[in-house]
């Protein structure tokens, strides 16, 4: 068992030995560390470096690989916009990056990029499910019957030669590919009246996966799938080509009326697993007004760490900028992305890993530190994350074990080490090691310690992930009930109250926000599918399962800023009471940025006050949220939908659906008052929710 | 045949042969000598023509000629009688007014000539007797001696022959004779030239021939005796084939000097015949071969009878020799020459029912006066037995060889297009026959009675027309469908697939780019050629540009489609590797207009050879390629044609994958048939789909080894396509042949998505079809594509009685899409006579057509039966036909005599050629692929092609003076005919050999090959140097003209005498015994005689 150093290790400087604090084995330092001493410590041993990254020099460095898979069943201007985006992206790639192009519509074309004078492509029927072997045979990727060469060295050279036709260094075929993209035509097959275009997304993706599988297994690669509509034929079809039959809705799914869903899902899962196994990640860029089948395809991104982007059209800045942002670079000029990562979690013996939730797949590595109870993707101590970027996160769940048989030594520390092997975008292989240790506290006697150390935000997000993870496979109400139960149990454990007296219930500060998070989570699109299409739900859940803590919190409980003449912009409660006539509200839900002009403000604006020199301050007031929104828009990936609306505007619904309905048509008059705007909903308000929570928490019946 | 007979009167055998020669000689020498001779010839000729009229006549002619000379005195009467008959004939002919008129005059001369000939005849006869040579002669002689045998030669009947068919035949012959009359003049000259010898006489002869032919028959009887006499001389003559020509020519002499010249030439060829013929003669008439010495000897042992045969009459004596003189048996050359002379110069007018057309080897013009030209339809017999019993008795197959889109010479107009407007062509309500000249209008024109089913139909108002006093519509001559045998209707939308007018068809070029194709240079050559060839796609009428669109596919183990849309800067290649489930990867830009996409196409064709220059792919697929083409047409919703250029056995993993199953050990076993059967049923299924789509497939094969032609040709075969095979293709050697074939194939006019239906009078019915097509039911012949070279042979059977008065009508209707996408119906009508006398049947047969049918029948038979069975069936049928004749039509004579009907006197020799063809009796060097290839080729051959294919033409190049620019007269395909001081050309429609004798003059070698001696000539040379001298130009010219006559380019091979290549060449000398065990002509004749005798006893 190879152990990496960590500052939690016990080091014997004289003997040049160190003891692993996960398995307690004593290890020799390697020769490179010969000079260490108490005053000359390597970074690994310094407490401020909880994370250390190692660069591995061994092994061939493989270039970055980008395989574009492009739907051609698009409207002319959509296709044109997409072509321009793609051409633009070529200029952002490092010159030695390998690129490939697959286009599809009724048929699937794999373009050979190295030909002069004639453009060459391999064409596949869009209706036929092909095995990886068949695809590779048909693409001529199977190695010519060269006598078996046991000699290893031959391997690296073969790669380029075999794959050269379909995946070429961008510097060689820049012009070719640009022309090719420029000449790309809409799918020429006629679409009869009342039909959807035949779109072979399933086969196209299958071929893309097969192509990379055959040429660059276990090498980081990015498949970028651009779709303008749902797959309508072949394996992975989501809807038939009859326009009169609409694509499945949540209603259909609940009624078990979605004919193609199960089969399609299976198809994409199979592809996702294969891609993941080879370390390739799949991005989906879906731009269409209707659904495109993200529900069925979500696993492709979710299991491989790819991006999922949903928009209305390729001809929107939402798509264009989001896509451009994929290729953003760090200060070293490297892409902010990494490939083919494996994450290994090691724990000291008091802890076991129960699972992980995030853009990963299990590597099925059992070990002593693997818990039998699975939370998320469990049963393993290693996961594979094919695509990573700086915001990618994994929620990892642990279990404290053996408390009875082997009580935790007082004053001891539990240690966890995260070892991430990955391919850096500079093509280096790297290993990043993060080691953390925490003191043990006794759950009976030291509850206060625990309480004080409780990170309610992280807990909320982790709980939310679990809930969302469950929601993928369970009925919505069950998940809500489960979440409620967890919340109640938490309150029972950490609340201070007198039994059967809800009014006496109190939570300490470190828990105070937690129930509110849960309240908003229950209302969030991650758990509520009402008013969302299956695709939208999938999209939201996708992002929720990979974004970092801050972003996740925004998703759970959107941020609401208020702008007024009364003072500087201030965050306000996400509550209907915050919607006032003389305010401008800026709401960030992560997916949307909503600027809402209160009634009065909107009237002023209509009256044109902002254009009058004497009301320049009004102009500034109007401008302030816009500037703030721009700031968010610039930083966020994917680009949020930007909504500018006002009191009474139809788009105001985005705001109204998020705020806590403290005032509704039901209680409007009871609350009376001039404050806030009533929300027409039957949803319970936070107040009601809390009342119930308190009642249940103090109830001895539970 | 007569030989024997003749023999009886005189020493038949030995003499006969000599006679032949003698004939010739006699005729020559003798006739010349005797002033009368020429006249006599004339007489002979005269009769001959009569015979010639029908193919048989030709046969008869020879005899006549021969007969004439000998019989002179005796014949005289005969001749007269004959004339009388002729006269009758004329009357019959009479109908064909003008022509006949001409003829009449001709006849008269004949008559006179005849008289004169009569004198000569005796002499001739003698020779004849011997010369059984031309069947005709024999016939005559036979007629004379044998009686009846010369069924065809009615005259004979007159003489004695006459009895059987005489009148009829006479009549038949007459028309011919009439023709002849006209011919002589025209023809005479050429013949004369050809012959060379008979300077003076020839001309005369030609004419005489015709006349004589007739006379002979007449004379026949009397001559008999004389015959013998001649025989002797004949023997002596034997050598000089020329003499015969003389004979022939001789007849014409006086009457038609010019004609005579003509005849002269024919004469010469005849002579040889004669010599052989004499025996033949006897044979011919009666077909008494017995005498054949050689054969006998050969058969001799086998046939004890041989001797007996021969012996019967006189042969024994003279023939102790035992050998049937080859010159004494019926000579194809003689028959061809005679027919050419007699019928070549005057148009063949189709107005008369049941008229036997000139032979396919004769150049003649056709005037459509109500029946389809023989270029479109030829029948085995123009006189059909009234009852099925009769037909069964005779065993003569009733078949028609139909070439619906036959190309016409420039002098003949292509069929008129008739537009009946929205209601579409007028048809019988019951049997759906189309309006034709034979429909009877009744009730003042308000109704018409269908000539096929007798149903009475209303005439639609817009079609109404009054009738004249004869009951004919007043506008009959203004309407092609009422006055012509062949015409076209514009089809309405009801006749179109899916009730939609078709779009213009498309051509898709599908090119194998595997290693072999690249290495041999094929791909480069082809692409280069296509660049210019595409400008010459077939176009309709005077259209400015072709409506046909083109597409390109290359393939090896996978397929590459090309997008050549005009808007593209460069072509796009789309590879489809999913060969298991083929589809067309693009819609727009695959099939394009050549002019619009010129630049892109050129760029593509430039790049294809480069792109694959380094290929190492050796495996190919085949079925998916066709599938792809078919799917492409389907996607484009049009019919079309695929041009496939393929090199190897498709062993790549794909549907239609084949394995090498070539196994020569199967030959002569019951499993031999598997070599001709496709390996897998996949191709039939595919072909069926192709037919449904109107997708015709032309296959060009370039194999270096076994490619399983039997399987690969299934689709072309069933879709009406062609197969071309270039074994071991090398650009240097085969370029010209391939390119020439390709150009022709691409440029030729094609009909697409065709359905052919043959309707007949009640009483007979089309029951069987042979050719390149597919049939989904029992009546509709479906042809995805049909060009002017493709022929369908249709067999008829009785299902009721016919009656003599009404005759039998055929109507062949072909619904097709023209190359401009117009939907049309082409209608061919043909009226045949019906007979109650077997003799009439035998007198109106056409052997060439018969052979065409029998070959196709046999070649299909090998698919299901052991080859031996097939061969035996053929022999038996032939024997039955001849035995039936002998029994029912020939005058009683000794059983030892072989008596052949005049019209069928070549049946044995031709049948023998079929029997020893590569398919039925393969030589050691013939590959399985070759056999399968030939088998499918023959399946769609027309009569002219089968004729020359089975009996190759052998043309001496150096016999006639260099200045003589006409085609030299052919000689018989036998090694004995080759003189080592001469050079010969041999062609069979597929191959072309130049044989150089070892002792050819140096001057000739120099002027032809540009080298100084025989030894310096490169054996196997395929191109003659272009030299500036008369001989070289003449030979080049001849080769060019031969090539122009054939639908496929014949590659020249120079063969030196005694060289190893000579074996190959000798394979085509079909009268000789073949290395593979095929019988010589003489041997086979004896065998046939024996069979007949067995049947008779």
């Amino acid at each position: 068992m190879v152990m990496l150093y960590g500052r939690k290790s016990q080091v014997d400087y004289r003997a040049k030995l160190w003891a692993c604090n996960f398995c307690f084995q004593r290890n020799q330092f390697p020769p490179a560390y010969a000079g260490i001493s108490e005053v000359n410590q390597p970074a690994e041993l310094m407490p401020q470096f909880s994370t250390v990254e190692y660069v591995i020099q061994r092994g061939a460095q493989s270039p970055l690989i980008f395989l574009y898979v492009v739907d051609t069943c698009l409207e002319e201007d959509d296709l044109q916009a997409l072509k321009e985006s793609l051409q633009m992206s070529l200029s952002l790639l490092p010159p030695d990056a390998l690129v490939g192009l697959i286009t599809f519509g009724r048929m699937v074309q794999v373009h050979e990029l190295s030909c002069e004078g004639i453009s060459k492509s391999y064409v596949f029927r869009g209706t036929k499910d092909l095995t990886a072997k068949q695809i590779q045979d048909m693409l001529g990727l199977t190695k010519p019957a060269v006598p078996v060469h046991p000699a290893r060295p031959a391997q690296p050279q073969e790669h380029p030669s075999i794959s050269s036709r379909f995946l070429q260094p961008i510097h060689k075929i820049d012009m070719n590919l640009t022309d090719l993209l420029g000449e790309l035509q809409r799918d020429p097959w006629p679409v009869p009246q009342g039909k959807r275009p035949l779109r072979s997304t399933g086969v196209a993706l299958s071929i893309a996966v097969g192509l990379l599988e055959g040429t660059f297994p276990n090498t980081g690669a990015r498949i970028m799938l651009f779709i303008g509509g749902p797959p309508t034929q072949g394996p992975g079809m989501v809807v038939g080509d009859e326009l009169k039959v609409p694509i499945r809705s949540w209603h259909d799914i609940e009624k078990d009326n979605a004919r193609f869903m199960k089969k399609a899902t299976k198809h994409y899962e199979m592809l996702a697993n294969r891609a993941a196994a080879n370390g390739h990640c799949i991005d989906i860029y879906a731009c269409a007004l209707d659904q495109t089948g993200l529900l069925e395809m979500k696993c492709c991104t979710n299991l491989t760490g790819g991006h999922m982007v949903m928009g209305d059209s390729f001809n929107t800045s939402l798509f264009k900028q989001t896509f451009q942002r994929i290729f953003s670079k760090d200060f070293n000029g490297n892409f902010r992305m990494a490939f083919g990562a494996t994450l290994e979690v090691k724990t000291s013996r008091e802890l076991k890993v129960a699972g992980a939730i995030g853009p990963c797949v299990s590597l099925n590595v059992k070990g002593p530190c693997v818990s039998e109870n699975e939370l998320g993707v469990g049963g393993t101590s290693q996961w594979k994350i094919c695509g990573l970027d700086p915001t990618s996160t994994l929620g990892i769940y642990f279990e404290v074990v053996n408390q009875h048989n082997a009580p935790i030594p007082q004053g001891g520390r539990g240690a966890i080490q995260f070892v991430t092997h990955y391919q850096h975008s500079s093509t280096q292989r790297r290993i990043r090691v993060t080691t953390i240790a925490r003191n043990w506290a006794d759950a009976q006697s030291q509850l206060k310690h625990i309480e004080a150390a409780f990170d309610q935000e992280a807990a909320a997000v982790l709980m939310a992930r679990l809930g969302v993870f469950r929601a993928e496979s369970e009925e919505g109400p069950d998940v809500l009930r489960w979440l409620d139960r967890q919340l109640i149990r938490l309150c029972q454990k950490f609340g201070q109250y007198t039994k059967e007296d809800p009014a006496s219930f109190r939570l300490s500060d470190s828990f105070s926000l937690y129930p509110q998070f849960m309240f908003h989570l229950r209302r969030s699109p991650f758990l509520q599918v009402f008013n969302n299409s299956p695709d939208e739900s999938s999209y939201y859940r996708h992002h929720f399962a990979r974004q970092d803590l801050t972003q996740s919190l925004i998703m759970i409980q959107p941020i609401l800023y208020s702008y007024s003449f009364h003072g500087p912009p201030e965050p306000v409660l996400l509550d209907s009471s915050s919607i006032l006539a003389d305010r401008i509200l800026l709401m960030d839900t992560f997916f949307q940025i909503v600027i809402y002009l209160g009634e009065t403000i909107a009237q002023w604006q209509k009256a044109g006050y902002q254009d009058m020199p004497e009301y320049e301050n009004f102009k500034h007031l109007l401008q302030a949220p816009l500037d703030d929104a721009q700031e968010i828009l610039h930083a966020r990936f994917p680009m949020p939908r930007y909504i500018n609306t006002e009191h009474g505007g139809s788009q105001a619904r985005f705001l109204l659906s998020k705020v806590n309905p403290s005032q509704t048509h039901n209680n409007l008059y009871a609350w009376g008052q001039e404050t806030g705007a009533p929300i027409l909903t039957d949803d319970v308000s936070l107040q009601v929710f809390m009342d119930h929570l308190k009642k249940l928490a103090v109830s001895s019946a539970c | 045949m007569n030989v024997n007979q003749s023999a009886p009167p005189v020493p038949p055998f030995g003499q006969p042969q000599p006679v032949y020669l003698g004939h010739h000689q006699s005729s020559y020498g003798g006739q010349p000598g005797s002033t009368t001779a020429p006249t006599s010839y004339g007489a002979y000729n005269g009769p001959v023509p009569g015979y010639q009229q029908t193919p048989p006549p030709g046969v008869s002619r020879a005899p006549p000629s021969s007969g004439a000379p000998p019989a002179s005195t005796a014949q005289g009467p005969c001749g007269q009688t004959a004339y009388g008959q002729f006269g009758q004939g004329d009357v019959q002919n009479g109908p064909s007014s003008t022509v006949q008129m001409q003829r009449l005059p001709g006849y008269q001369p004949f008559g006179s000539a005849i008289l004169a000939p009569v004198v000569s005849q005796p002499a001739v006869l003698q020779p004849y007797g011997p010369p059984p040579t031309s069947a005709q002669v024999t016939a005559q002689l036979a007629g004379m001696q044998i009686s009846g045998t010369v069924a065809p030669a009615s005259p004979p009947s007159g003489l004695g022959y006459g009895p059987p068919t005489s009148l009829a035949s006479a009549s038949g012959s007459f028309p011919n004779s009439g023709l002849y009359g006209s011919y002589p003049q025209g023809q005479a000259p050429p013949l004369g030239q050809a012959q060379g010898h008979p300077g003076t006489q020839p001309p005369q002869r030609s004419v005489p021939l015709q006349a004589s032919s007739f006379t002979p028959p007449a004379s026949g009887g009397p001559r008999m005796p004389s015959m013998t006499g001649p025989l002797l001389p004949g023997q002596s003559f034997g050598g000089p084939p020329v003499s015969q020509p003389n004979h022939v020519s001789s007849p014409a002499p006086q009457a038609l000097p010019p004609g005579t010249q003509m005849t002269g030439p024919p004469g010469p060829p005849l002579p040889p015949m004669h010599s052989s013929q004499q025996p033949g003669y006897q044979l011919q008439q009666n077909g008494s071969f017995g005498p054949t010495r050689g054969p006998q000897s050969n058969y001799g042992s086998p046939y004890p009878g041989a001797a007996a045969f021969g012996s019967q009459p006189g042969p024994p004596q003279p023939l102790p020799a035992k050998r049937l003189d080859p010159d004494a048996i019926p000579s194809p050359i003689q028959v061809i020459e005679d027919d050419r002379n007699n019928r070549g110069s005057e148009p063949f007018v189709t107005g008369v029912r049941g008229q036997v057309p000139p032979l396919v080897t004769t150049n003649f013009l056709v005037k459509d006066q109500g029946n389809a030209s023989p270029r479109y339809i030829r029948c085995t017999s123009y006189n059909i037995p009234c009852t099925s019993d009769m037909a069964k008795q005779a065993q003569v197959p009733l078949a028609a060889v139909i070439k619906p889109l036959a190309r016409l010479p420039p002098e003949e107009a292509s069929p008129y297009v008739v537009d009946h407007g929205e209601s579409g062509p007028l048809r019988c309500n019951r049997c759906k026959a189309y309006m034709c000249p034979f429909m009877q209008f009744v009730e003042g024109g308000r109704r018409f009675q269908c000539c096929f089913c007798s149903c009475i139909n209303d005439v639609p108002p817009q079609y109404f027309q009054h009738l004249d006093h004869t009951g004919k519509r007043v506008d009959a001559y203004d309407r092609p469908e009422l006055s012509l045998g062949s015409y076209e209707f514009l089809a309405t939308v009801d006749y179109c697939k899916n009730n939609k007018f078709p779009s213009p068809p498309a051509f898709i070029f599908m090119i194998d780019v595997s290693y072999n194709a690249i290495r041999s240079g094929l791909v480069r050559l082809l692409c280069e050629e296509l660049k210019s060839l595409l400008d010459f796609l077939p176009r309709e009428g005077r259209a400015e540009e072709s409506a046909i669109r083109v597409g390109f596919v290359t393939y090896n183990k996978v397929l590459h489609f090309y997008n050549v849309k005009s808007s593209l800067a460069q072509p796009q290649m789309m590879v489809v590797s999913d060969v298991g489930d083929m589809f067309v990867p693009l819609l727009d830009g695959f099939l394009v207009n050549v002019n619009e996409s010129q630049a892109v196409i050129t760029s593509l064709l430039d790049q294809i050879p480069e792109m694959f220059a380094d290929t190492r792919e050796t495996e190919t697929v085949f079925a998916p390629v066709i599938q792809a083409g078919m799917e492409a047409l389907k996607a484009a919703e049009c019919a079309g044609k695929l041009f496939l250029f393929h090199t190897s056995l498709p062993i790549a993993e794909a549907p239609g994958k084949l394995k090498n199953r070539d196994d020569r050990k199967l030959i002569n076993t019951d499993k031999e048939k598997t070599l001709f059967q496709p390996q897998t049923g996949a191709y039939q299924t595919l072909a069926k789909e192709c037919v449904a789509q109107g997708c015709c497939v032309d296959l060009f094969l370039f194999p270096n080894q076994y490619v399983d032609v039997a399987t690969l040709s299934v689709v072309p075969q069933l879709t009406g396509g062609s197969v071309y095979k270039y074994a071991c293709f090398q650009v240097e050697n085969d370029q010209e042949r391939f390119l020439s074939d390709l150009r022709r194939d691409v440029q030729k006019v094609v009909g697409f998505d065709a359905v052919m239906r043959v309707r007949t009078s009640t009483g007979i019915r089309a029951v069987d079809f042979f050719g390149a097509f597919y049939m989904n039911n029992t009546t509709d012949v479906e042809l995805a594509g049909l060009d002017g070279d493709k022929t369908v042979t249709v067999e008829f059977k009785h299902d009721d009685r016919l009656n003599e008065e009404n005759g039998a009508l055929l109507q062949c209707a072909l619904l097709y899409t023209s190359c401009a996408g117009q939907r049309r119906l082409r209608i061919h009508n043909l009226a045949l006579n019906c007979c109650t006398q077997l003799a009439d049947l035998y007198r109106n047969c056409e052997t060439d057509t018969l052979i065409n049918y029998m070959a196709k029948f046999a070649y299909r038979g090998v698919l299901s039966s052991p080859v031996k069975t097939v061969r035996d069936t053929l022999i038996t049928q032939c024997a039955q036909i001849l035995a039936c004749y002998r029994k029912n039509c020939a005058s009683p004579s000794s059983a030892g005599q072989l008596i052949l009907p005049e019209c069928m006197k070549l049946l044995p020799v031709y049948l023998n050629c079929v029997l020893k063809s590569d398919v039925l009796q393969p030589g050691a060097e013939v590959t399985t692929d070759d056999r399968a290839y030939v088998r499918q080729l023959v399946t769609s051959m027309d009569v002219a092609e089968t004729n020359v294919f089975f009996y190759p033409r052998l043309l001496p190049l150096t016999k006639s003076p260099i200045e003589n620019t006409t085609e030299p007269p052919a000689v018989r395909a036998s090694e004995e005919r080759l003189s080592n001081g001469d050079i010969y050309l041999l062609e069979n429609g597929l191959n072309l050999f130049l044989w150089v004798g070892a002792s050819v003059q140096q001057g000739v070698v120099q002027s032809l090959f540009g080298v100084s001696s025989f030894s310096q000539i490169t054996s196997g040379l395929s191109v003659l140097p272009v030299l500036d001298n008369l001989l070289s130009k003449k030979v080049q010219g001849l080769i060019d003209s031969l090539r122009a006559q054939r639908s496929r380019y014949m590659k020249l091979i120079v063969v030196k005498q005694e060289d190893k290549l000579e074996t190959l060449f000798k394979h085509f000398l079909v009268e000789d015994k073949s290395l593979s065990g095929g019988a010589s002509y003489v041997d086979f004749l004896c065998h046939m005689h024996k069979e007949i005798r067995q049947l008779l006893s």
Side-chain angles (χ1 to χ4, degrees), chain A residues 107 109 116-125 128 130 137-139 183 185 188-190, chain B residues 562 568 570-578 581-588 604 607 611:
Chain A
M107 317 238 163
Q109 279 177 264
E116 292 294 327
I118 190 164
S119 64
K120 198 168 165 187
S121 59
Y122 282 64
V123 188
F124 295 80
R125 213 188 254 279
K128 197 170 170 188
L130 298 165
D137 281 348
M138 289 178 185
L139 289 175
E183 280 191 5
Q185 296 294 314
W189 301 87
Chain B
Y562 295 92
L568 291 175
Q570 58 183 33
Q572 290 176 352
M573 176 200 219
M574 308 178 96
V575 185
V576 174
S577 334
D578 189 2
D581 188 9
M582 192 38 69
F583 62 94
V584 182
L586 74 173
L587 183 64
D588 199 18
L604 171 66
Q607 288 186 55
M611 272 190 293

Side-chain angles (χ1 to χ4, degrees), chain A residues 451-487:
Chain A
E451 203 176 291
F454 184 70
D455 181 340
Q456 56 181 338
E457 292 182 339
V461 170
L462 284 168
M463 275 312 282
R465 279 205 185 184
L466 266 180
V468 172
F469 184 82
R470 285 186 170 231
E472 299 277 13
S473 51
E474 293 175 32
E475 297 275 324
D478 293 345
V479 178
L480 294 182
R481 263 196 296 279
W482 173 82
L483 265 183
D484 291 347
R485 231 176 9 250
Q486 298 301 317
L487 178 60

Side-chain angles (χ1 to χ4, degrees), chain B residues 808-830:
Chain B
L809 301 178
L810 307 182
Q811 183 177 76
C812 162
L814 178 81
L815 174 63
Y816 71 101
T817 303
S818 76
C819 56
Q822 199 176 50
R823 199 74 173 148
R824 291 187 191 160
L825 280 152
R826 179 171 284 206
I827 313 291
H828 297 298
N829 301 294
L830 183 64

Side-chain angles (χ1 to χ4, degrees), chain B residues 47-151:
Chain B
V48 174
Y51 287 98
Q52 293 173 342
Q53 295 171 345
T54 57
V59 178
S60 62
R61 299 170 193 167
S65 66
S66 65
S72 67
T73 57
Q75 290 177 346
C78 297
Q80 293 173 350
T81 56
Y83 282 108
Q85 296 174 350
F86 287 119
Q88 297 174 349
D90 292 6
V91 174
Q92 295 180 346
N93 296 333
S96 60
S97 62
T98 59
V99 176
Q100 295 171 351
M101 290 306 289
Q102 294 176 349
R103 297 171 184 171
L104 290 175
Y107 284 126
Q108 292 174 351
F110 283 83
S112 65
I114 295 169
L115 292 177
V118 171
V119 177
S120 66
Q121 283 180 350
V124 175
L125 284 178
Q126 295 173 349
Y128 274 52
T133 60
S134 66
Q136 305 164 350
V137 176
T138 57
Q140 296 172 351
L141 295 177
M144 311 285 294
Q145 305 171 345
I146 298 168
S147 80
T149 53
V150 185

